[in-house]
Amino acid sequence: MDRLENTVRPYAWGSTTAIPRLLGVEPTGEPQAEMWMGAHPGAPSRTARGPLTELIDEAPEKELGAAAVAKFGPRLPFLLKILAAGAPLSLQVHPNLEQAREGYEDEERREIPVGAAHRNYKDANHKPELICALTEFDGLCGFRAPDEAAELLAGLDVDSLKPYVDLLHAHPEEAALREVLTALLSADRDEMADTVTEAATACARLGGSYEPYADIAHHYPGDPGVIAAMLLNHVQLQPGEALFLGAGVPHAYLNGLGVEIMANSDNVLRCGLTPKHVDVPELLRIVRFEASDPGVLRPEASPDGEEVYATPIDEFRLSRYVLPEGAAPHDLTLTTPQILLCTAGSVRAGEHPLTPGESVFVPAGEQAGVSGAGTLFRATVVA
């Protein structure tokens, strides 16, 4: 079992206080957006034996187990994060596995450098993800019903939005959502800026269900993504609740601290709320234009105290243990690789005492006894 030293990524949208508060350290004044735990080449966790990427490369079956290697190859198939949003992230969507492979092969064939600003596919993998709230957590997830989106836009009483309201009323669901999102993302940004500003002013005045969009507009003034965001469901998670984000579902995180797990991929297509590249034709190929319930997940408890966040994905499995004072030790030994992350209290994993924000990597088959009083998240795979 290896204690992990993890990199914190300073993305501009990150909270300046949430991760330091969790870790019990003084803020630096700079944004601290994500702490990465795993073997992603961009920021692999470090151990006393060396970087986790090197340990796995040198002995994949020893570290990951034969079943995981046979199913996913000689790599850790998930990335675990602590995510701290102090401002809205970009509105985005992820491809399914077939789309990712096609897109990656196409861009490789066209010799687009992986680091190019207009490159969409950094790898050939899909990127389903799960976010579990540690604090109250706000996000956008999936399309509203077109009539609901039309009612929200109409309530702003902005003349230049009325054509979008009419489109949402006039077509079947898929066509309505597709036409409106296409129109918003294809419009001239300078011409849209006045509409967005007028809509933002109305949101601030009306408050209530419009308040999240006023805040988004504050961070992204004039961005057409502000209007696109109003097509999506606004979700407020309580601590312990989660969202699963599958392929093709547009989403954005707005504010809060959570534990995030995802397939080990960098593939993101952006829909707005960003200065980065937006490839509208490719985006429209990937987005699933259907209204959906966000589907807030609550953990399913098992007799041994494990609370599992059930998803249809094999690359990751997230669960947690809420260990009361005086509880008997738990044996978490598995034949698959694990990362154990403490988020509250004080927990001992093997010989390693863990306080909030600290984590360990457990190789497949390694004895994994845990004890103490606190909350421990367990990330592994289904193999």
Side-chain angles (χ1 to χ4, degrees):
M1 191 182 297
D2 300 279
R3 178 180 290 275
L4 298 179
E5 294 181 21
N6 304 304
T7 298
V8 176
R9 310 306 293 259
Y11 305 135
W13 49 262
S15 167
T16 58
T17 58
I19 288 179
R21 187 182 300 120
L22 179 74
L23 298 176
V25 300
E26 287 296 316
T28 64
E30 298 298 317
Q32 297 188 38
E34 296 180 347
M35 185 168 75
W36 288 19
M37 290 158 279
H40 192 286
S45 297
R46 301 169 299 282
T47 77
R49 295 189 289 148
L52 192 54
T53 42
E54 292 183 9
L55 302 186
I56 292 171
D57 286 345
E58 290 167 3
E61 288 205 1
K62 177 178 180 294
E63 303 295 337
L64 305 177
V69 172
K71 189 167 186 176
F72 305 109
R75 61 186 181 87
L76 188 67
F78 65 82
L79 176 63
L80 184 67
K81 300 179 180 180
I82 293 175
L83 182 145
L89 281 67
S90 61
L91 195 61
Q92 59 189 256
V93 69
H94 305 304
N96 63 31
L97 192 54
E98 182 180 355
Q99 291 164 340
R101 287 171 176 166
E102 290 174 354
Y104 180 77
E105 289 170 4
D106 174 63
E107 291 184 327
E108 287 288 280
R109 200 162 42 242
R110 290 188 283 140
E111 299 183 344
I112 300 174
V114 172
H118 64 291
R119 174 106 184 199
N120 293 313
Y121 297 95
K122 306 296 192 294
D123 53 67
N125 200 15
H126 62 166
K127 194 190 176 194
E129 59 191 40
L130 177 79
I131 183 78
C132 178
L134 294 178
T135 65
E136 290 188 354
F137 195 97
D138 277 20
L140 304 173
C141 179
F143 285 111
R144 300 174 184 269
D147 284 348
E148 292 178 13
E151 183 179 352
L152 194 69
L153 291 178
L156 297 174
D157 197 25
V158 173
D159 286 344
S160 52
L161 288 178
K162 289 179 180 177
Y164 302 113
V165 173
D166 292 341
L167 282 172
L168 288 167
H169 281 310
H171 293 285
E173 177 179 290
E174 180 179 349
L177 295 169
R178 179 181 292 275
E179 287 197 33
V180 173
L181 186 63
T182 302
L184 288 170
L185 299 184
S186 303
D188 183 273
R189 286 183 70 95
D190 292 334
E191 292 178 4
M192 278 295 298
D194 290 341
T195 295
V196 175
T197 299
E198 191 176 350
T201 301
C203 286
R205 183 184 72 251
L206 292 167
S209 59
Y210 291 97
E211 189 173 341
Y213 309 101
D215 184 63
I216 292 170
H218 170 74
H219 290 283
Y220 298 98
D223 192 313
V226 174
I227 309 301
M230 299 182 75
L231 303 177
L232 306 187
N233 298 297
H234 176 229
V235 186
Q236 293 181 296
L237 299 179
Q238 296 304 307
E241 295 181 334
L243 283 177
F244 172 71
L245 300 154
V249 178
H251 61 277
Y253 302 145
L254 303 182
N255 186 270
L257 181 71
V259 173
E260 185 182 35
I261 190 167
M262 62 190 63
N264 204 347
S265 170
D266 277 336
N267 288 326
V268 176
L269 286 101
R270 294 174 177 83
C271 319
L273 310 182
T274 179
K276 295 182 179 179
H277 175 61
V278 177
D279 184 335
V280 175
E282 184 64 10
L283 178 70
L284 298 176
R285 187 177 80 90
I286 299 303
V287 171
R288 286 166 46 194
F289 288 98
E290 57 185 44
S292 61
D293 185 296
V296 173
L297 292 177
R298 295 171 182 85
E300 301 172 5
S302 62
D304 70 349
E306 184 181 27
E307 300 177 343
V308 180
Y309 293 91
T311 72
I313 296 300
D314 289 348
E315 282 93 337
F316 61 74
R317 178 184 183 274
L318 185 71
S319 62
R320 70 173 184 175
Y321 288 84
V322 181
L323 305 173
E325 190 74 46
H330 285 67
D331 181 6
L332 304 191
T333 306
L334 291 175
T335 58
T336 51
Q338 304 180 70
I339 292 178
L340 305 178
L341 165 67
C342 177
T343 60
S346 179
V347 178
R348 177 173 287 273
E351 63 183 22
H352 301 286
L354 303 179
T355 56
E358 295 184 325
S359 57
V360 294
F361 173 72
V362 186
E366 189 81 16
Q367 188 70 32
V370 300
S371 60
T375 301
L376 188 76
F377 279 83
R378 172 202 246 181
T380 186
V381 303
V382 180

